Amino acid sequence: MRSISLFLRSVTKSLILIITLTFAGVYASHAQSVAEGATLYKQKCTSCHALDKKVVGPALKGISDRHTEEWLIKWIVNAPAMIASGDKEAVAIATEYKPLVMSAFPELTPDNVKSILAYIKAEETKPAAVAGPVSGSGDGSAATSEQGVSTLELIGVISIAIIALLVIFVLNRVIKSLERVALQKQGVVLEEEVVRGSAYKKLLKNKKFIFFIVLILIIFLGSAGWKGMWETGVHTGYQPVQPIKFSHQLHAGINKIDCQYCHSGASKSKNASIPSLNVCMNCHNYVQATEKYNGEISPEIQKIYKALDYNPETKVYGPNTKPVEWIRIHNLQDFAYFNHSQHVKVAGIACQKCHGPIQTMSEVYQYSPLTMKWCINCHRETEVNHKGNAYYDRLIAAHSKLKNGEKPTAAVMGGLECGKCHY
């Protein structure tokens, strides 16, 4: 009987491990493929296709049912070649949409295409109520469900895991009961279980145990207090709700818009500056993101139009304009001076050095602690590129004058820069 229980326990542990690894693998691979597909779909497909309606090309909903996966991979990678080869399905599509021809995407691998198809399939199975705007999605960017499996699938996985754990718990209880019965039949006298209350009372009277608990509490509370005081004024992870859900993931990540196209002040002034809505309108005169909103303009883009009193149908601006009240995220103490241009233009530091992977953020948050220690460590590690740098050229010129016995003025050392006096 003992060997049977040991065998059942080993089998139980193996089952738990297999179930966990299986679910984790399925979830991770599916989530990764759908997330990759969402990104590629926005980059390659949205200019000509929508999921549920015909745009330039056909609606993509149900495309996996209309064509085989093998055919779709060949078609998406090189449609012109398939048409030229005389493929019946390719020729039929080309005839229907003539003179338009689908572009070739030789940079896409078969796995990339499968990810796009997985994303389309995930969108097909998503309930209609979820198709509206989602917090942090920006102007029509991917909803949360695009970044992983659907809610129904996740609930199913969790339910199966809970049921499996309950079954294992019951089996263990049954095994223990059978072991006790078997031992009793063999004449083995079993000790009664010790009442736990008495053990607790003994522990409470044990001075060494009490001293140990008090010592642990003092260490814990002291560490927590020290950490709290040390991190006062540090707002790492700060993520306020903005008036417009602007997605850096969509604009800087997927569409690869350069940071300084919007934050033009970063290379020439102390502040990076928040772009005016006119900069937004350079694109959103044409890009209106109607796909996910039943043909209506994205509500986030409508906020831009409302602030500018702009009519997208007549393309006329009205007089009732009002500013967008953005909430500042990155704040330095009043006694700290930071100049963006010195770091961006002179030092050539990338925005991600301080702001983190901004191109992956659907909603911006403070990535770095912005503490004095953090800044000093960066200055210790960052090498100075002095070649062709006007700032260091002036320093060298000043040192040359000192060597020759001349007296350089403050102007030579940059004393005429506005930022020296005007914060």
Side-chain angles (χ1 to χ4, degrees):
M1 197 67 182
R2 188 72 178 171
S3 61
I4 294 173
S5 67
L6 291 172
F7 173 75
L8 286 173
R9 287 180 183 177
S10 64
V11 170
T12 300
K13 291 179 181 178
S14 300
L15 282 174
I16 293 174
L17 182 61
I18 291 169
I19 290 170
T20 304
L21 291 176
T22 301
F23 286 145
V26 170
Y27 181 87
S29 61
H30 184 71
Q32 184 178 5
S33 63
V34 172
E36 181 191 37
T39 302
L40 292 171
Y41 177 83
K42 293 184 185 70
Q43 288 178 336
K44 310 293 183 182
C45 309
T46 51
S47 59
C48 298
H49 295 279
L51 287 170
D52 52 1
K53 65 179 179 180
K54 179 180 176 181
V55 189
V56 177
L60 298 182
K61 189 174 182 178
I63 192 171
S64 296
D65 300 326
R66 300 194 295 269
H67 305 282
T68 64
E69 184 179 77
E70 183 182 358
W71 186 89
L72 286 170
I73 291 172
K74 293 179 181 178
W75 170 256
I76 293 172
V77 172
N78 199 340
M82 288 194 70
I83 296 168
S85 69
D87 182 273
K88 290 183 179 180
E89 293 180 70
V91 172
I93 294 173
T95 303
E96 182 180 353
Y97 290 91
K98 193 174 181 180
L100 299 173
V101 180
M102 180 169 166
S103 303
F105 297 98
E107 68 276 12
L108 294 178
T109 65
D111 287 337
N112 293 150
V113 177
K114 288 178 183 178
S115 296
I116 294 173
L117 296 176
Y119 165 71
I120 294 172
K121 196 74 176 176
E123 289 295 299
E124 291 173 8
T125 57
K126 191 163 59 174
V130 185
V134 180
S135 177
S137 61
D139 44 346
S141 62
T144 305
S145 59
E146 295 171 3
Q147 304 303 322
V149 295
S150 67
T151 305
L152 185 62
E153 290 173 334
L154 184 58
I155 291 172
V157 169
I158 294 172
S159 301
I160 292 171
I162 291 171
I163 292 169
L165 289 173
L166 287 173
V167 170
I168 291 166
F169 175 76
V170 171
L171 284 173
N172 281 331
R173 298 293 296 179
V174 170
I175 290 167
K176 286 183 179 179
S177 299
L178 290 173
E179 286 178 350
R180 290 180 66 85
V181 170
L183 291 171
Q184 285 175 354
K185 285 184 177 181
Q186 292 173 9
V188 178
V189 179
L190 299 175
E191 295 181 1
E192 293 295 328
E193 293 184 1
V194 180
V195 180
R196 293 183 179 178
S198 60
Y200 292 148
K201 289 179 181 179
K202 287 182 180 180
L203 283 175
L204 290 175
K205 292 179 180 180
N206 190 319
K207 293 182 180 180
K208 292 181 179 179
F209 176 75
I210 297 299
F211 172 77
F212 178 75
I213 294 297
V214 171
L215 182 62
I216 291 296
L217 284 174
I218 291 172
I219 293 172
F220 174 77
L221 294 175
S223 300
W226 178 265
K227 187 174 184 293
M229 290 187 291
W230 187 260
E231 293 185 353
T232 298
V234 178
H235 303 291
T236 306
Y238 175 56
Q239 187 179 41
V241 177
Q242 299 289 357
I244 296 177
K245 297 182 180 70
F246 180 87
S247 173
H248 278 76
Q249 181 186 33
L250 175 63
H251 293 79
I254 295 171
N255 294 327
K256 300 188 184 304
I257 297 174
D258 185 78
C259 298
Q260 293 186 47
Y261 177 78
C262 299
H263 302 285
S264 56
S267 62
K268 56 188 177 184
S269 70
K270 176 192 172 192
N271 296 308
S273 70
I274 296 174
S276 66
L277 293 182
N278 290 331
V279 175
C280 303
M281 291 299 292
N282 289 341
C283 296
H284 287 293
N285 267 324
Y286 312 99
V287 180
Q288 296 181 339
T290 60
E291 177 191 342
K292 291 183 176 293
Y293 305 96
N294 298 321
E296 298 293 328
I297 298 172
S298 160
E300 302 306 318
I301 296 177
Q302 285 179 349
K303 291 178 183 177
I304 300 174
Y305 294 163
K306 185 177 180 181
L308 290 171
D309 196 13
Y310 173 77
N311 188 327
E313 295 180 359
T314 60
K315 297 189 181 299
V316 174
Y317 292 89
N320 301 316
T321 60
K322 59 180 180 179
V324 175
E325 298 180 0
W326 299 102
I327 301 173
R328 188 183 181 99
I329 297 175
H330 301 86
N331 292 285
L332 291 178
Q333 291 80 358
D334 292 339
F335 55 78
Y337 176 80
F338 179 85
N339 190 310
H340 270 85
S341 63
Q342 286 181 341
H343 292 77
V344 174
K345 189 173 183 180
V346 178
I349 295 175
C351 303
Q352 288 82 353
K353 182 74 173 178
C354 299
H355 295 285
I358 196 79
Q359 72 281 0
T360 65
M361 298 181 188
S362 57
E363 287 188 67
V364 176
Y365 59 90
Q366 183 174 316
Y367 177 82
S368 303
L370 304 182
T371 59
M372 180 178 176
K373 177 182 177 181
W374 178 78
C375 294
I376 288 174
N377 285 339
C378 183
H379 282 206
R380 285 172 174 165
E381 296 169 0
T382 304
E383 295 181 1
V384 173
N385 182 15
H386 60 85
K387 294 182 179 179
N389 190 312
Y391 176 78
Y392 293 106
D393 288 343
R394 283 192 294 176
L395 284 181
I396 293 171
H399 281 96
S400 298
K401 287 188 175 183
L402 288 171
K403 288 180 180 179
N404 297 329
E406 300 178 33
K407 295 181 180 180
T409 62
V412 176
M413 303 297 293
L416 299 181
E417 293 177 4
C418 303
K420 294 291 184 182
C421 302
H422 299 281
Y423 283 59

